[in-house]
Amino acid sequence: TMQDHADAWPFKEPVDSLDVADYYDIIKDPITIAKRVESEEYYVTLDMFVADARRMFNNCRTYNSPDTIYYKCATSQN
């Protein structure tokens, strides 16, 4: 359901260091939820999933300034 959200597009693929060269210098704890979901073994509790989702959105807000579409997608509640 989350992937179908209108503001999910920035979070569907890992950040590409070729496109965003300094991302992994700034974000020290990146997360790729899709790989973990696809494994069907990682998320044994909902709390684990929620923690990773929060980390993904926090990383986005840390890297991007509030005036960017990425930041806005990370804070959207619609």
Side-chain angles (χ1 to χ4, degrees):
T1 302
M2 283 179 62
Q3 288 188 353
D4 295 334
H5 192 280
D7 293 328
W9 60 270
F11 308 104
K12 291 186 176 185
E13 298 291 329
V15 174
D16 187 337
S17 61
L18 295 176
D19 294 330
V20 190
D22 65 344
Y23 183 81
Y24 294 101
D25 294 331
I26 295 169
I27 301 301
K28 301 299 184 189
D29 195 16
I31 182 70
T32 305
I33 293 176
K35 289 181 183 178
R36 292 181 175 183
V37 169
E38 289 169 7
S39 78
E40 296 182 11
E41 297 175 6
Y42 184 82
Y43 292 118
V44 294
T45 68
L46 179 60
D47 289 340
M48 291 173 69
F49 175 79
V50 169
D52 276 357
R54 284 189 177 136
R55 188 167 91 213
M56 177 181 68
F57 296 132
N58 287 337
N59 285 348
C60 182
R61 287 188 294 265
T62 297
Y63 184 81
N64 297 285
S65 63
D67 61 331
T68 64
I69 188 65
Y70 303 105
Y71 189 101
K72 291 173 184 174
C73 286
T75 57
S76 173
Q77 295 184 22
N78 295 325

